[in-house]
Amino acid sequence: MFAEITDSVKQFKKIIPKISFSPGQDMEFSISLDKEEVLKQPDEILDLAENIAKSKNINLRICIDEFQNIAYFDDPLATQKKLRSHWQKHEHVAYFLYGSKRHMMLEVFSSPSMPFYNFGAMMFLEKISKDVWTEFIVKQFKNTGK
């Protein structure tokens, strides 16, 4: 599977990614890029997941944590416009954008003047109670014999 992933990325020759892979039941991999590469090829990079998904005839899910930090970019509005202009055309990729700063996330997604206004469904998650969290952790340690 790792070879297939690297072969998929290699077909887009203009970018040089760093790939991390975690084999196992919940196989995960991540791709990171050098800032200079991003600045050289922004359009190709923003469409990379969609192009890989199309070429493999699969659907992908991209999860981005602490998305509200986009507000700290040099030009946050231009960045959001650029992202949305690409992502709204993607048919084989779904984006899950998470954030721990509720007020900042609301600004990004609820303000009519922002590019991500009404971009998708919003869900608010409550904190996991200490009792439920403790029970889960203890159960996982028992299940693994640790």
Side-chain angles (χ1 to χ4, degrees):
M1 184 58 145
F2 183 72
E4 184 178 344
I5 293 167
T6 55
D7 287 344
S8 295
V9 175
K10 282 180 189 175
Q11 73 183 5
F12 304 99
K13 294 174 175 48
K14 293 181 186 176
I15 59 173
I16 303 167
K18 176 183 173 187
I19 301 171
S20 301
F21 180 71
S22 300
Q25 182 180 7
D26 297 328
M27 181 189 68
E28 292 182 23
F29 75 96
S30 65
I31 299 173
S32 58
L33 301 163
D34 181 70
K35 184 177 180 179
E36 277 72 45
E37 288 296 318
V38 172
L39 295 174
K40 285 187 224 172
Q41 307 294 334
D43 295 320
E44 184 169 343
I45 290 167
L46 289 174
D47 291 330
L48 180 63
E50 177 70 7
N51 291 334
I52 290 171
K54 277 185 189 175
S55 73
K56 296 292 181 185
N57 197 30
I58 59 173
N59 291 314
L60 294 175
R61 308 294 175 257
I62 304 290
C63 301
I64 301 175
D65 196 12
E66 300 301 341
F67 187 74
Q68 77 276 350
N69 288 336
I70 199 168
Y72 300 119
F73 283 31
D74 289 338
D75 191 347
L77 201 56
T79 302
Q80 289 176 50
K81 286 178 181 178
K82 184 81 162 167
L83 290 174
R84 179 160 184 154
S85 72
H86 284 265
W87 292 356
Q88 69 187 0
K89 297 174 194 165
H90 293 178
E91 297 176 358
H92 299 88
V93 180
Y95 294 89
F96 296 85
L97 310 172
Y98 308 103
S100 59
K101 305 260 188 307
R102 186 177 188 147
H103 66 285
M104 291 176 76
M105 292 294 282
L106 283 171
E107 175 66 24
V108 170
F109 295 102
S110 298
S111 175
S113 63
M114 299 299 282
F116 278 101
Y117 176 68
N118 283 342
F119 186 67
M122 286 197 322
M123 292 177 54
F124 297 99
L125 304 176
E126 299 300 320
K127 288 185 178 182
I128 300 170
S129 74
K130 185 177 179 179
D131 292 340
V132 170
W133 189 231
T134 303
E135 181 181 328
F136 173 79
I137 292 170
V138 170
K139 182 179 175 187
Q140 295 306 311
F141 275 102
K142 284 181 182 177
N143 287 346
T144 59
K146 295 181 180 176

